[in-house]
Amino acid sequence: MRTRAHYDEELHQLYQELQSLGEAVKKEIAAAVRAFDQIDLVEAQRIIGADALIDKAHETIEQHVLQIIALQQPVASDLRRLLAALEIASELERIGDYAKRIAKATLRNPAPPQAAPDVPISQLGDLAVAMLITGIDAFIAGSPDKLEQIQQQDDEIDRLEDGVRAQMLALIQREPAAAEWALDRTVVAHTLERVGDRVTNVAEQLVFAARGERVDLNP
């Protein structure tokens, strides 16, 4: 009984670490989009530096999972939950890398065209953050019923990214001098679309942990 109680305590602590990592990544993605939108170079530099903290948190979770497996020797559903947590931590670390990528685009800061079009980067960022919150909360709660919501959010992000790409291509064709500005927005939109894909991977791990099934939610 003490062994099971100790395992449950370790798993609770691990999930707290995972949730903290998710909160940090969510914060940095939101900050990166805001800095890009406002051309906040100081904040962009901070975000780039903060990536090391996300990497460290990821390493801590990896070590904790391996320690639990080695000491507790979990089986079946317990092992699935640990392996899923390991994969989700890796997905979150990669999303943290995307925040750094957006921050680097902010630092490039090319001159906008005279009549700069309204590009829905903030809307894409809001969707990506909302999707990230849904994915992490669903995993911590062990709630696969959020899968449909996650897929709908991912479809909306894909739609918006397609629109940005078409809009920026048209701008480049009209104003070749605006190419660098347009390409930065295309890159940031695609980066946020990749956040959606990573959260979809989180949802797949949720299904694996809960049911032992491997599903492809982003074929």
Side-chain angles (χ1 to χ4, degrees), residues 96-135:
D97 288 341
Y98 294 155
K100 181 170 68 172
R101 183 184 301 174
I102 294 170
K104 287 181 175 179
T106 302
L107 294 180
R108 286 194 293 272
N109 192 22
Q114 282 194 343
D118 185 20
V119 186
I121 296 297
S122 294
Q123 187 179 354
L124 264 168
D126 290 345
L127 275 170
V129 169
M131 191 175 174
L132 183 56
I133 292 170
T134 302

Side-chain angles (χ1 to χ4, degrees), residues 165-183:
R165 188 186 300 116
Q167 186 183 22
M168 294 301 96
L169 179 59
L171 175 62
I172 292 170
Q173 290 172 339
R174 291 195 313 270
E175 299 183 49
E180 187 179 2
W181 185 89
L183 286 173

Side-chain angles (χ1 to χ4, degrees), residues 11-209:
L11 187 64
H12 177 69
Q13 181 182 341
L14 175 66
Y15 276 20
Q16 285 186 319
E17 292 168 358
L18 194 63
Q19 195 162 27
S20 294
L21 177 57
E23 286 292 326
V25 169
K26 177 194 74 174
K27 172 189 169 186
E28 296 306 324
I29 283 290
V33 172
R34 189 165 54 250
F36 182 80
D37 190 51
Q38 298 173 0
I39 318 178
D40 187 338
L41 306 185
V42 173
E43 179 69 352
Q45 289 283 12
R46 185 203 63 76
I47 292 163
I48 292 169
D51 185 61
L53 299 176
I54 289 174
D55 291 346
K56 181 62 178 176
H58 173 224
E59 291 171 9
T60 298
I61 290 172
E62 280 189 329
Q63 292 167 4
H64 197 176
V65 169
L66 294 176
Q67 181 185 50
I68 293 173
I69 291 174
L71 296 179
Q72 300 291 330
Q73 298 182 339
V75 295
S77 61
D78 289 339
L79 183 58
R80 288 201 310 270
R81 293 165 78 186
L82 290 170
L83 294 177
L86 195 62
E87 289 294 328
I88 289 171
S90 294
E91 297 292 347
L92 292 173
E93 187 274 332
R94 293 186 185 105
I95 294 173
D97 288 341
Y98 294 155
K100 181 170 68 172
R101 183 184 301 174
I102 294 170
K104 287 181 175 179
T106 302
L107 294 180
R108 286 194 293 272
N109 192 22
Q114 282 194 343
D118 185 20
V119 186
I121 296 297
S122 294
Q123 187 179 354
L124 264 168
D126 290 345
L127 275 170
V129 169
M131 191 175 174
L132 183 56
I133 292 170
T134 302
I136 294 300
D137 288 351
F139 180 75
I140 297 299
S143 177
D145 61 343
K146 296 290 186 181
L147 295 181
E148 185 176 350
Q149 180 180 349
I150 289 170
Q151 287 181 296
Q152 289 173 349
Q153 290 170 322
D154 190 44
D155 288 344
E156 180 64 11
I157 288 175
D158 290 346
R159 185 189 67 78
L160 280 174
E161 193 238 345
D162 287 343
V164 170
R165 188 186 300 116
Q167 186 183 22
M168 294 301 96
L169 179 59
L171 175 62
I172 292 170
Q173 290 172 339
R174 291 195 313 270
E175 299 183 49
E180 187 179 2
W181 185 89
L183 286 173
D184 269 353
R185 274 133 195 88
T186 303
V187 167
V188 170
H190 180 65
T191 301
L192 292 170
E193 186 273 335
R194 293 294 296 147
V195 171
D197 289 345
R198 294 291 178 190
V199 178
T200 300
N201 292 346
V202 169
E204 291 172 358
Q205 291 301 319
L206 168 61
V207 175
F208 172 67

